[in-house]
Amino acid sequence: MPEGKIIKALSGFYYVLDGEEVFQCRGRGVFRKNKVTPLVGDYVVYQADNKTDGTVTEIKPRKNELIRPQISNVDQAILVFSAVEPDFSPALLDRFLVLIEDNEIEPIIVVTKMDLVTAESQEKLSQYIKDYQKLGYTVLETSSVSTGGIEELVPYIEGKTSVFAGQSGVGKSSLLNAINPELALKTDDISSHLGRGKHTTRHVELIHIGSGLVADTPGFSSLEFMEMEAERLSYCFPEMHKHGEDCKFRACLHDKEPKCAVKEAVDTGEIPRYRYEHYMQFLEEIRDRKPRY
């Protein structure tokens, strides 16, 4: 039986890449019965008499999967956040980073629209970038207009399956178009009324860029920690996980516990205070979600 990789899912069809050929397939009825949904990125077994009439018969085990956007077997997540229009949001970035860290996917932070940064906002933005770099994250500054920073991003894409994700309107499609103009992905302006971008990407699809595969995904503006346990959250903040090893209590949640090394690191400036505030916000959301007895 031939095998391939799903590179697009649209209107009930799954497009399976096998070598350099793509086969249009439907999923087996047993998938629906077992409440299993094939995802873009899945390695699958399929059968097809021709390129437009195939069936996905088996889904290979996944090394990871994301729910929003729906994609599996991702090597890295390229988190695209604009410097302005909409303004850079460390709170939303930290939500994405928690999701990515929880799935053990390598994150790369890309700050777009750097050509629009004013002198007044440059200092604050630069400090944010320095903070995330100090935490060990790769942060790239780009502009799809001037193409500044684009060449620096390209080597990270080669030979890997990457998901581009971020708030709607930050320029994900514009960035991909700047990397490869032949893509001609649809883009749209920011809605002046809503202050956010209009959704131009309607489905998840893996696109060939050089030797890599890149997913252009629908933008979204919120994330919920539906499955995460409170004890797991600090592992998704690398600096808190590191300092947490010195806490008095092994199961310290860095909230009201005494002799908490994380809170001490916040007070001394070793951990940015806004990162701790975001952690506490997320912790409360998880607690509110969990039933209390």
Side-chain angles (χ1 to χ4, degrees), residues 151-286:
E151 290 186 1
E152 188 178 357
L153 172 60
V154 171
Y156 288 94
I157 298 174
E158 295 294 331
K160 296 181 179 180
T161 296
S162 308
V163 56
F164 269 57
Q167 188 178 13
S168 182
V170 298
K172 297 186 298 295
S173 295
S174 295
L175 186 61
L176 287 168
N177 284 340
I179 296 173
N180 184 357
E182 294 181 3
L183 294 176
L185 298 174
K186 184 180 178 183
T187 62
D188 212 335
D189 296 329
I190 298 292
S191 165
S192 59
H193 176 65
L194 296 175
R196 61 174 185 258
K198 303 171 185 176
H199 292 273
T200 55
T201 306
R202 302 297 181 182
H203 62 277
V204 180
E205 179 176 357
L206 287 173
I207 304 165
H208 276 287
I209 294 185
S211 63
L213 287 170
V214 169
D216 185 28
T217 69
F220 52 94
S221 57
S222 66
L223 290 167
E224 297 179 354
F225 309 111
M226 298 302 295
E227 304 296 331
M228 184 174 292
E229 300 292 335
E231 294 76 14
R232 171 66 181 165
L233 182 60
S234 66
Y235 286 86
C236 301
F237 285 77
E239 73 277 33
M240 295 184 195
H241 177 52
K242 176 183 176 182
H243 285 281
E245 295 178 352
D246 297 325
C247 289
K248 179 180 179 180
F249 297 102
R250 182 179 298 272
C252 184
L253 291 178
H254 322 306
D255 182 9
K256 299 177 182 178
E257 299 90 343
K259 296 185 178 180
C260 172
V262 168
K263 287 188 288 185
E264 291 176 4
V266 174
D267 291 338
T268 61
E270 293 179 76
I271 294 177
R273 185 166 295 277
Y274 64 87
R275 284 274 288 176
Y276 178 72
E277 290 172 351
H278 296 161
Y279 166 83
M280 287 304 302
Q281 178 185 341
F282 303 161
L283 183 62
E284 286 305 309
E285 290 180 23
I286 293 172

Side-chain angles (χ1 to χ4, degrees), residues 81 88-95 128 132 274-275 278 282:
F81 280 72
F88 182 78
S89 173
L92 186 56
L93 173 57
D94 284 345
R95 283 183 177 272
Y128 281 134
Y132 284 102
Y274 64 87
R275 284 274 288 176
H278 296 161
F282 303 161

Side-chain angles (χ1 to χ4, degrees), residues 50-115:
N50 54 63
K51 288 188 176 182
T52 60
D53 189 21
T55 302
V56 174
T57 60
E58 180 186 345
I59 301 172
K60 296 290 187 177
R62 298 164 178 160
K63 72 175 182 180
N64 55 47
E65 71 176 90
L66 297 174
I67 303 303
R68 297 178 62 189
Q70 288 192 315
I71 189 170
S72 67
N73 299 315
V74 175
D75 295 316
Q76 61 187 9
I78 299 175
L79 305 180
V80 186
F81 280 72
S82 59
V84 294
E85 297 182 8
D87 290 340
F88 182 78
S89 173
L92 186 56
L93 173 57
D94 284 345
R95 283 183 177 272
F96 274 89
L97 286 171
V98 167
L99 174 67
I100 297 306
E101 293 279 2
D102 190 42
N103 284 276
E104 300 183 350
I105 297 171
E106 180 73 20
I108 296 174
I109 302 168
V110 176
V111 184
T112 63
K113 304 184 183 181
M114 290 299 296
D115 54 297

